[in-house]
Amino acid sequence: MTDPDIEIPESHPRYESLLTRHRIEAGVDAGITSRQGLIAQGRGEAFDYLLGERTLPAADAAERAAAAHLLLADHPVLSVNGNVAALVPGEVVDLAAATSADIEVNLFNRTDERMERIADHLREHGASEVKGLTADGRIPGLDHERAKVDADGIGDADVVLVPLEDGDRAEALGDLGKVEIVIDLNPMSRSARAADVPIVDNVIRAVPGITEHARDLADADRETLESIVAEFDAGEALTAAERAIREGGDEDGGDAT
Ligand code: ATP
Ligand code: MG
């Protein structure tokens, strides 16, 4: 990917990592990303480094299952927080278009100002409608601020994509019986473990990855999509990622170094 705002040659071995840091910093400066978002990013980077900064075959399979779920859904919703808005705003808009999903802003540290800024930022990247500002719905089992959702957004969704969701919320959403797709580089985090479809991959690779699969599956019949969903095994996906981290090589036998 290229970014006109940043002068790092694409040939730089850590191009993607530097670009990511630049975008998160810019997100903080623009009032989109919280300062705690910087810490979350640092934690994610450590796992990405251990995974070899690539999409594992198991993560690609999870991205395909996620695409199938989103295409099968009656009402898919993509949740966006401050890190996601800074890192992949246009890519989220593309995924929403490819899967006819709604976009909803959801913040751990919710302030009206940051909600508005993120919604504006997403609109600048082509989103036509951004939910999350009405906050007339509640997720049971969470404290007041953390529980807020739009009743006609996440409140009504049957499939939700929650990239980088915090553990409590991921568990509460899972308890609501919605199909939950989580993107999280830490296969041991509660968020990844609560998910029906855990995608252990960097959000900057995972979101375009799901979109690519959704486009590829655009004309697939329900039966095909349902079999992709049925064949996916969340436990196996987490185990494959953990193995790749512990063994430092490719889960398919190669060497990542
Ligand atoms: P919990 O057990 O409650 O889930 P946590 O580890 O999620 O705790 P946070 O500080 O919210 O606590 O961590 C942020 C999570 O987001 C980490 O698991 C990290 O791996 C993940 N993360 C951060 N940046 C990215 C990214 N760019 N792509 C994917 N995942 C990321
Ligand atoms: Mg988490």
Side-chain angles (χ1 to χ4, degrees), residues 92-172:
V92 167
V93 173
D94 288 345
L95 177 58
T99 57
S100 306
D102 279 338
I103 297 175
E104 177 161 341
V105 183
N106 263 291
L107 302 183
F108 187 78
N109 299 302
R110 187 188 175 101
T111 67
D112 286 342
E113 198 189 349
R114 213 149 67 78
M115 293 290 293
E116 294 284 358
R117 283 198 181 165
I118 291 173
D120 285 345
H121 186 65
L122 290 166
R123 285 189 206 104
E124 280 162 22
H125 283 84
S128 46
E129 201 197 344
V130 180
K131 294 185 189 280
L133 298 136
T134 318
D136 51 351
R138 294 285 175 273
I139 303 170
L142 294 175
D143 67 72
H144 187 69
E145 282 305 298
R146 297 286 304 127
K148 286 181 176 175
V149 289
D150 275 17
D152 67 349
I154 288 176
D156 176 64
D158 54 346
V159 177
V160 284
L161 171 71
V162 280
L164 282 59
E165 183 58 278
D166 112 281
D168 275 348
R169 240 178 106 110
E171 282 172 1

Side-chain angles (χ1 to χ4, degrees), residues 214-238:
R215 288 183 181 147
D216 184 45
L217 294 169
D219 298 323
D221 52 24
R222 281 194 83 84
E223 210 183 357
T224 306
L225 297 174
E226 278 162 5
S227 74
I228 292 169
V229 161
E231 278 161 28
F232 178 75
D233 185 322
E236 265 176 32
L238 294 173

Side-chain angles (χ1 to χ4, degrees), residues 6 18-34 37-38 41 86-87:
I6 171 173
L18 294 172
L19 176 65
T20 302
R21 287 184 192 179
H22 172 82
R23 287 195 182 173
I24 287 283
E25 268 190 303
V28 174
D29 289 344
I32 288 169
T33 309
S34 71
L38 288 171
Q41 172 62 31
L87 292 175

Side-chain angles (χ1 to χ4, degrees), residues 47-48 51 54-56 58-60 62-63 182-188 192 197-203 205-206 234 237-242 245:
F47 283 102
D48 206 14
L51 285 162
R54 74 221 148 107
T55 300
L56 298 174
D60 183 61
E63 285 159 23
V182 166
I183 301 171
D184 193 322
L185 278 159
N186 177 3
M188 284 155 285
V197 180
I199 300 173
V200 183
D201 198 8
N202 197 315
V203 73
R205 297 187 300 267
L238 294 173
T239 305
E242 247 189 85
I245 288 172

